[in-house]
Amino acid sequence: MKIKYFLKRVAMLAGVVALSFFALQAQDFRYPLDVPMSLSGNYGELRSNHFHGGIDFRVGGVVGAPIYATESGYVSRITIGPSGYGNALYITHPNGYVSVYGHMHCFNDAISKFVLERQYATESFRQDISLTPEQFPVKRGEFIGKAGNTGSSGGPHLHFEIRDEKGQCTDAFARGYLSIPDNLPPFFRNVIFYGLEHRNGVPESYYIGMPKADVIPLPADSYVCIDAFDKQQGTNAKLAVSEYKVWLDNTLLFHFTLGEVPGHMGRDINSLIEFKQKVVRGRTYVKSYTDPGNLLQDRIKGSNSGVISLEDTLLHKIKIEVKDIPGNRSVKNYTVKRVDSLYAGKVSDSLEVHCAPWFLPNFYMADGLKLYVPQGALYNNVNLSVDTLENRITPFAPVWRVANDRFPLRKSASVAMKCNIPDSLVTKAFLAHVYGSGSLGYAGGKYDTLRREMVANVLSLGNFTVGVDLAAPEITPTIKNGAVVNGNTIVFRLRDRLSGIRSYRVEIDGHWVLAQQDAKTRRIIIPLQDARIQRGKKHMLEFVAEDNCGNVSRLKRTFTW
Ligand SMILES: [Zn+2]
C-alpha cells in the first residue's frame, strides 16, 4: 500500500515536473544564430503601414550564417515569394507559440528537397505550405537553414519573430525571452512643431518646424512631432523607442506606450505619425495630437488630445521624454510663448471646405466622378473636395483632384470615374494615380461597360485619371543565343513599367523549370542543377511574361550547359 502510494506520488510529481519543465521550456527561447548578438532592427519600429513585428539580427553583412531552431517543435509552415519575408520558416512549439525566420537564403537539405519537389509538382516558385507535426519535427538548436536577403530585405539579416498562441507578435526582449545589454538612452534626431486650426470642423495643420530662438513663438494651438531612436551597444542601428511623453508645464498632454500592437491595428501607425512628413519628406515623426479615430488610443494617455493650447501670452514650458524598454530615457525642454501675429493667415480660408466626418461613411458625387469613403477609413474629419484639372497625359478622362494624399486612409475608398475609352483599349485601361511630375501610377480597377466608368479601390487619395498600358513586360536576358553557360544559374531581368508583372513562366526543352523571382532587384534566377536537364547538351529556353493589363512578352534562348 505504502509502495503503491509512493509510486503514485512519484508519478504525480513527475507529471508536475514535466509540466513545469514544459512551461519553463516554452519561455526559454534560444538565440537562433551563433554570430554575436547584434540588432539592425527591433520590435515596434515605425515602418510603412505597420510596426515591425520582429527582431532583425545582423549576420555579418553576408548571406550564409547558420540558423538554429529557437526551441523544439515542428516546422508548421513554409512560405516562399518574391517580396515580403522571401524564404520563411514557421516553427510551432509545444505551448502553441510560433517562431518565424524570414529572408532566409536557403533551408536545410531535407526541407529544401521537400520544397523543390513541391515547386515542381505545382509548377510554382511561390509557395505557402502548411505542414503536420510528423513531417519536420525539430529539436532546439537544430540547424534549419541559412540567413539571407530574400524578399523585401535591405541587406543580409535574420528577421525573427516569436508569436504567442493567439498569433500576436511578441516583444521577445520586453518579455525576457531573449536578452541583450542596453544601457544607452534614446536620442532625439529632430523635434518640430505644427500649428493647428479648425475650419468647418476640419482640423488643418501647418508646418512651423523648430524656430531657432530661446523662446519659441507658437500660435494659440499647436502640437509637437518627435523623431527619436533608441541606441544599443555594438550597433549603429536606429531602434524603436517604446515610450513618448509630452508635458505642457505640469500637465501631461501625451503619453504613448507602444507595447505589443495587434496586426489589425498596424495601419493606425499612419495616424500616430505626422503623415504629411511621411508623404512629402519620407520622415517618421510621432505626433502629440491624437486623431479621434485612432485605434491606438488604448495606449495613449494625456489631455486636450495632445494639443498645446496657449491661453495667455506668458512663458510656458514644454518637456518631452522618450524611453526604451530597459528604462533608459532622454529629455528635452523648451520655453514657448504665444505669438498670434506670426501665424495669421497660415490656413487660407479661400478654399471651400466639405467636412467629411470621420465616424460616418462618406459619399461624394460630381458629374463624372463618384467617391465612396467607407466608415472606419478616416482617422479624423477631412476636407473631401473634388474638382477637375486639364489632362495633358491621356485622352480618356480629365485629371480628377480627389481631396489630397496628405491624410491617411485605414481602408480603401472606392473611385468610379466616367471615361471615354475605345472598345479596343478597354482591357488595357486602369485607374491611374497622377503624380506631381505628371507620371502615372497603376491603381488597378475594372471597366464597367454599362456605365462607362473605371472603378477601383484605392488606399490613398489625390489626383487620378484613366490610363492604358500597351507595353508588354521587358524580359532582359544575360546570355546570348547559343551561349555556353558555365555557371549553375541563368539570370534574367523582368520588369513592367506601368501595370506590373501578373505572371511569368520559364520552360526548358518544353518543361516547366523553377525560376526564382526577386522583386527588389527585378531578377529571375533559374538554378540549372534543379532543372532536371542533361549536362553537355544544347537546350531551348522559353520565357513568357504577362502584365496586369494582359500584355504578353515571349523570349527564346538556346544554350549549352
Ligand atoms: Zn524584420
Side-chain angles (χ1 to χ4, degrees):
M1 200 62 182
K2 260 186 180 168
I3 291 172
K4 238 184 178 174
Y5 174 73
F6 176 70
L7 283 178
K8 209 174 154 190
R9 268 302 281 182
V10 169
M12 273 172 65
L13 272 171
V16 169
V17 169
L19 246 164
S20 59
F21 177 66
F22 221 63
L24 189 83
Q25 202 180 32
Q27 303 283 305
D28 187 27
F29 299 101
R30 68 154 272 180
Y31 169 53
L33 297 164
D34 55 13
V35 294
M37 194 192 288
S38 172
L39 308 193
S40 61
N42 67 341
Y43 185 93
E45 276 181 27
L46 311 174
R47 303 274 175 98
S48 281
N49 302 315
H50 72 290
F51 297 89
H52 191 224
I55 301 160
D56 291 338
F57 289 116
R58 286 142 67 101
V59 292
V62 289
V63 302
I67 303 171
Y68 307 99
T70 184
E71 182 51 280
S72 298
Y74 68 96
V75 178
S76 51
R77 188 180 174 201
I78 302 168
T79 56
I80 294 175
S83 55
Y85 288 178
N87 297 333
L89 265 190
Y90 295 67
I91 297 178
T92 297
H93 304 290
N95 64 345
Y97 279 43
V98 176
S99 54
V100 183
Y101 311 78
H103 311 305
M104 289 173 70
H105 182 61
C106 60
F107 307 121
N108 70 21
D109 287 349
I111 298 171
S112 287
K113 187 166 170 276
F114 170 83
V115 168
L116 189 66
E117 274 166 16
R118 185 62 73 95
Q119 286 175 315
Y120 271 85
T122 56
E123 298 195 343
S124 174
F125 160 64
R126 287 172 189 258
Q127 296 291 326
D128 187 347
I129 308 169
S130 293
L131 299 160
T132 60
E134 302 78 43
Q135 286 178 283
F136 292 104
V138 290
K139 289 254 177 329
R140 174 188 169 88
E142 191 173 320
F143 172 70
I144 53 170
K146 292 177 180 172
N149 192 32
T150 56
S152 310
S153 169
H157 74 280
L158 171 63
H159 171 93
F160 178 68
E161 291 173 19
I162 296 176
R163 299 184 183 174
D164 69 15
E165 71 281 9
K166 292 184 193 114
Q168 170 67 46
C169 293
T170 68
D171 185 342
F173 289 111
R175 289 202 190 195
Y177 300 153
L178 299 170
S179 67
I180 191 163
D182 177 6
N183 49 34
L184 298 178
F187 70 101
F188 292 91
R189 182 160 72 174
N190 220 345
V191 174
I192 53 176
F193 289 91
Y194 268 78
L196 184 66
E197 284 181 25
H198 283 79
R199 281 204 307 144
N200 209 2
V202 177
E204 298 199 355
S205 61
Y206 55 91
Y207 180 78
I208 294 173
M210 177 52 76
K212 281 193 174 62
D214 293 338
V215 176
I216 294 164
L218 290 179
D221 287 330
S222 64
Y223 58 91
V224 68
C225 302
I226 306 155
D227 184 13
F229 296 101
D230 190 30
K231 277 202 282 196
Q232 250 173 33
Q233 292 92 321
T235 175
N236 54 14
K238 296 185 178 71
L239 304 173
V241 166
S242 64
E243 240 178 290
Y244 297 77
K245 284 182 185 173
V246 177
W247 288 266
L248 170 61
D249 300 320
N250 292 318
T251 307
L252 184 63
L253 285 182
F254 177 72
H255 181 188
F256 173 66
T257 310
L258 175 68
E260 291 174 352
V261 181
H264 75 274
M265 280 153 68
R267 214 179 149 79
D268 284 54
I269 192 170
N270 291 330
S271 160
L272 178 72
I273 65 172
E274 178 52 42
F275 193 69
K276 278 184 282 202
Q277 281 284 323
K278 181 77 179 175
V279 172
V280 179
R281 306 204 44 215
R283 284 298 191 87
T284 304
Y285 288 85
V286 168
K287 68 176 200 266
S288 68
Y289 174 47
T290 309
D291 295 315
N294 187 346
L295 290 177
L296 295 164
Q297 270 180 84
D298 64 341
R299 48 204 78 205
I300 298 175
K301 292 188 176 67
S303 54
N304 203 28
S305 302
V307 177
I308 302 164
S309 291
L310 301 175
E311 275 151 26
D312 52 43
T313 54
L314 305 173
L315 297 181
H316 294 275
K317 296 273 182 217
I318 300 281
K319 180 177 156 189
I320 304 171
E321 181 187 287
V322 289
K323 211 162 99 178
D324 66 9
I325 290 283
N328 304 301
R329 65 187 77 204
S330 287
V331 172
K332 269 198 183 289
N333 288 293
Y334 302 95
T335 305
V336 301
K337 182 182 182 332
R338 176 168 167 179
V339 184
D340 286 335
S341 58
L342 279 176
Y343 303 102
K346 277 284 180 186
V347 172
S348 130
D349 49 22
S350 60
L351 292 165
E352 251 188 290
V353 177
H354 299 273
C355 177
W358 68 270
F359 50 88
L360 293 176
N362 287 280
F363 190 72
Y364 195 97
M365 201 150 84
D367 187 18
L369 186 107
K370 283 178 276 183
L371 168 69
Y372 177 63
V373 181
Q375 193 166 22
L378 298 176
Y379 298 99
N380 211 327
N381 297 350
V382 298
N383 182 9
L384 275 191
S385 61
V386 168
D387 61 357
T388 55
L389 307 167
E390 191 189 348
N391 189 349
R392 295 166 193 224
I393 312 157
T394 72
F396 313 115
V399 169
W400 282 93
R401 185 159 58 191
V402 184
N404 60 63
D405 62 357
R406 305 294 156 86
F407 59 85
L409 295 177
R410 183 189 285 117
K411 49 184 168 181
S412 49
S414 153
V415 173
M417 187 183 292
K418 270 262 182 294
C419 55
N420 191 4
I421 298 186
D423 288 347
S424 60
L425 291 179
V426 158
T427 59
K428 311 288 185 196
F430 61 91
L431 188 78
H433 288 282
V434 181
Y435 300 119
S437 55
S439 62
L440 299 185
Y442 181 74
K446 264 210 165 85
Y447 182 69
D448 182 330
T449 325
L450 213 66
R451 296 194 167 94
R452 301 193 73 79
E453 281 174 355
M454 182 56 72
V455 186
N457 292 325
V458 294
L459 268 169
S460 64
L461 299 180
N463 293 358
F464 294 96
T465 190
V466 170
V468 293
D469 184 2
L470 301 174
E474 298 160 27
I475 307 171
T476 315
T478 55
I479 58 164
K480 290 208 167 78
N481 217 10
V484 175
V485 176
N486 294 315
N488 282 323
T489 55
I490 296 180
V491 178
F492 288 83
R493 277 183 193 279
L494 178 62
R495 87 179 283 194
D496 188 81
R497 286 170 198 269
L498 259 180
S499 61
I501 302 293
R502 176 189 285 160
S503 65
Y504 67 92
R505 183 181 175 90
V506 181
E507 290 185 359
I508 297 181
D509 305 332
H511 297 286
W512 182 89
V513 294
L514 174 64
Q516 301 161 332
Q517 187 183 15
D518 185 48
K520 62 184 174 297
T521 57
R522 301 197 184 101
R523 293 206 306 171
I524 302 284
I525 301 156
I526 300 151
L528 293 173
Q529 66 272 39
D530 298 332
R532 298 160 189 197
I533 56 169
Q534 275 193 305
R535 284 201 91 124
K537 294 235 163 96
K538 197 172 168 186
H539 300 285
M540 164 64 84
L541 182 149
E542 196 174 356
F543 197 131
V544 185
E546 186 180 352
D547 70 15
N548 283 308
C549 287
N551 302 297
V552 176
S553 290
R554 288 169 199 279
L555 188 119
K556 284 184 181 177
R557 277 286 181 275
T558 57
F559 70 96
T560 304
W561 177 55

